[in-house]
Amino acid sequence: MAGVRPIEFDADAALDAAMNTFWRHGYSGTNLPTLLKETGVARQSLYNTFGDKRQLFLKAVRLYSERQLAAHARKLGGDNPKDALEKFVNGWRHRRRRTAGRGCLVCLTMGEFSDQDPEVSRLVAEHTGKFTALLSERLRSAGAGRRADALASGLVAMSFGIATLCRQPGTQPMIDDATDQALAMVRGAA
């Protein structure tokens, strides 16, 4: 089409940069000048490619969720489900360092406004449901039987709590205690 300039940036890299910006600052704490700076994309190009700030945010949360669920599935894979579950849960004690104190974008989103926006609420519920189902399947494989769903729900709640604690300095002892309790749940599952 004549007169339309082609996109001159990597849309995937820009979305990744936006995701990290929202993850650091939340939706409300991220303004347009910050997004433009972090993504390296001009205002009109950002709007043309992603829509408004809310649409970019929703895409960023979806990307984060897809990546996290894929990483969880990899970590929980393997031939020995109980060992995989223990290793996965034990990894929670390193989350603050691993995420540079950011915790979890889904948890941040949930706390910020998921009950005020039906589309955000659906995204959070979808992520939570998939995470719970993944843990439930592995717990069932580890011998938890009928308790697998309830244990998975408890582990997801603990994981989300730990992810929220990661955003607050000085919470590592509490994170370690919660991780120990989650490990006890996993070990008692079989």
Side-chain angles (χ1 to χ4, degrees):
M1 187 190 269
V4 176
R5 293 179 56 193
I7 295 175
E8 297 177 10
F9 66 92
D10 181 340
D12 291 336
L15 181 56
D16 188 67
M19 179 194 74
N20 281 297
T21 303
F22 286 124
W23 192 5
R24 270 192 309 280
H25 305 292
Y27 179 82
S28 299
T30 301
N31 59 31
L32 186 59
T34 301
L35 280 170
L36 297 176
K37 179 181 175 221
E38 294 295 323
T39 61
V41 177
R43 179 186 308 252
Q44 196 57 52
S45 294
L46 193 73
Y47 284 131
N48 290 344
T49 304
F50 299 110
D52 62 10
K53 176 184 164 184
R54 181 179 174 281
Q55 290 303 313
L56 177 57
F57 176 72
L58 293 171
K59 289 174 184 171
V61 173
R62 280 187 196 99
L63 175 64
Y64 177 89
S65 176
E66 290 167 6
R67 287 182 179 175
Q68 287 303 302
L69 291 169
H72 294 344
R74 280 191 305 276
K75 291 175 187 172
L76 288 166
D79 294 333
N80 189 324
K82 191 167 182 182
D83 286 348
L85 281 159
E86 285 186 25
K87 186 175 179 181
F88 177 74
V89 169
N90 198 45
W92 294 352
R93 57 179 93 248
H94 309 292
R95 184 182 275 165
R96 183 163 167 50
R97 177 187 45 78
R98 199 174 57 244
T99 66
R102 293 179 295 176
C104 169
L105 178 57
V106 171
C107 295
L108 178 62
T109 300
M110 186 185 317
E112 191 167 7
F113 63 81
S114 68
D115 65 336
Q116 300 167 9
D117 184 315
E119 190 168 2
V120 172
S121 188
R122 277 191 300 277
L123 275 174
V124 168
E126 182 179 303
H127 176 87
T128 303
K130 288 179 179 179
F131 184 24
T132 304
L134 179 62
L135 284 170
S136 183
E137 184 276 321
R138 292 310 282 171
L139 284 159
R140 210 174 310 311
S141 296
R146 294 182 309 211
R147 297 180 311 141
D149 292 342
L151 287 167
S153 293
L155 289 172
V156 168
M158 292 176 92
S159 173
F160 284 3
I162 288 169
T164 302
L165 287 170
C166 286
R167 295 187 69 86
Q168 180 64 37
T171 57
Q172 191 60 49
M174 190 180 290
I175 291 169
D176 289 339
D177 289 345
T179 300
D180 290 340
Q181 292 304 309
L183 282 168
M185 288 171 61
V186 168
R187 290 176 181 142

